[in-house]
Amino acid sequence: MSTTWLISGPPGCGKTTWILNTLRDHPGPCGYLRLKGTSQDGLEQGCDAGIDRTWLQDQIPALQDLSTSQHRTAAADRINLIELQQFQAPPEEAPEAIDPAIQSQLDTLQLRPDRCLHFGRDPELPGQDTLAFNRLEAWSLSLHNSVWDPNSLSSFWFELVNGAYGDVYRAKALMNLPDGRAFFCNWIVSQQGSQFLPLERVEPPHGRPKRSSELVVQGNALNGIGIQTTIDDCLISDDVLDMHQAPMRDQQPESTLTR
């Protein structure tokens, strides 16, 4: 039989990092799913924009997506980890204590957790970044096909996490650069600084990248219009992108260009 765990906790507590390390240490097949969390009075859920899944699948190419039925097969050495943003801990670890709205999602996918772990309650999980939020807004933006000017990205992210667009407590994103690289950008108010972690996959220099690119922000008094306006000034045009990519295309072997 496979093992299925539900891993929950508040924004920025380290769920995805813990899941990545756990999956890397597992010798057998593994699956992943992020569930849609529930909002509470004054506490707005961050959008599930696919950032976590994209990052994990880049780091673990064999990782299977549990949202599709063909990947929910049972195996003796298989582990499935389900991620859930949840502001408050369930009253107990038993699966019977799962919120009915969450249980409905699990039932639809025919997934039944063997164990439920929550950051801030269970000692197996680190607790240094587990924050209690009294009020939290959420804002998100799809950046599909967008490519950033590298210097502008650095300036924008510095402004974002230092209060230029409201009190940001949590920010994460997948950002594309002109040379085909992408970065998982990650920040939480309890940390000393931001993480800029490169994805393994580099896109070929042939137009705009096809992979996921998203931004999710949580905080208070967020200025979404200001964020959007600044981002519009930071993204590069087709002509500028082609100027960056042309030298890379010239360096590629002819056989690669004709694929």
Side-chain angles (χ1 to χ4, degrees):
M1 292 292 292
S2 60
T3 298
T4 300
W5 291 357
L6 176 64
I7 309 298
S8 62
C13 64
K15 297 183 296 296
T16 307
T17 298
W18 186 89
I19 286 172
L20 173 61
N21 292 333
T22 301
L23 293 175
R24 277 176 168 166
D25 292 340
H26 183 67
C30 48
Y32 170 81
L33 174 70
R34 175 171 169 137
L35 293 176
K36 181 179 179 180
T38 57
S39 297
Q40 302 174 14
D41 290 341
L43 295 172
E44 189 175 354
Q45 280 281 335
C47 176
D48 178 13
I51 295 174
D52 297 334
R53 184 186 69 250
T54 300
W55 166 246
L56 290 170
Q57 288 181 326
D58 175 81
Q59 298 297 297
I60 307 175
L63 182 64
Q64 297 177 344
D65 183 359
L66 296 177
S67 66
T68 58
S69 58
Q70 65 266 33
H71 290 155
R72 295 197 293 270
T73 57
D77 59 346
R78 178 186 177 90
I79 185 171
N80 298 320
L81 296 183
I82 303 171
E83 182 175 354
L84 172 66
Q85 186 174 114
Q86 191 168 20
F87 293 104
Q88 296 178 351
E92 54 184 293
E93 182 183 322
E96 291 77 12
I98 295 174
D99 182 283
I102 303 303
Q103 187 62 58
S104 177
Q105 296 182 62
L106 293 169
D107 291 342
T108 299
L109 296 169
Q110 298 181 325
L111 290 169
R112 181 176 295 276
D114 306 295
R115 193 177 184 194
C116 301
L117 296 175
H118 185 85
F119 277 75
R121 182 192 66 188
D122 297 296
E124 297 95 326
L125 304 176
Q128 65 267 24
D129 291 321
T130 303
L131 305 179
F133 298 96
N134 296 319
R135 179 176 174 80
L136 201 63
E137 302 170 11
W139 188 89
S140 62
L141 178 66
S142 175
L143 293 163
H144 181 65
N145 284 336
S146 298
V147 179
W148 288 73
D149 170 75
N151 292 330
S152 297
L153 172 57
S154 297
S155 297
F156 164 75
W157 193 263
F158 178 84
E159 293 176 354
L160 177 69
V161 302
N162 283 282
Y165 310 100
D167 296 326
V168 174
Y169 300 153
R170 175 78 173 110
K172 63 179 178 179
L174 290 172
M175 307 295 206
N176 293 312
L177 297 185
D179 60 4
R181 293 180 300 159
F183 282 84
F184 172 54
C185 307
N186 186 35
W187 187 82
I188 179 69
V189 68
S190 59
Q191 295 179 357
Q192 292 296 320
S194 296
Q195 289 179 308
F196 297 98
L197 306 176
L199 273 67
E200 295 291 337
R201 174 174 168 76
V202 176
E203 290 282 300
H206 301 287
R208 295 189 173 274
K210 302 298 188 290
R211 64 177 156 223
S212 175
S213 181
E214 307 283 344
L215 170 65
V216 177
V217 181
Q218 289 175 279
N220 285 325
L222 299 177
N223 180 6
I225 295 177
I227 298 174
Q228 176 75 74
T229 300
T230 301
I231 288 176
D232 290 342
D233 292 336
C234 294
L235 303 178
I236 63 176
S237 66
D238 288 341
D239 290 342
V240 174
L241 178 60
D242 186 69
M243 181 181 66
H244 280 279
Q245 292 181 341
M248 293 185 286
R249 290 196 297 268
D250 294 340
Q251 295 172 3
Q252 287 187 327
E254 184 176 349
S255 58
T256 302
L257 296 176
T258 56
R259 287 178 182 174

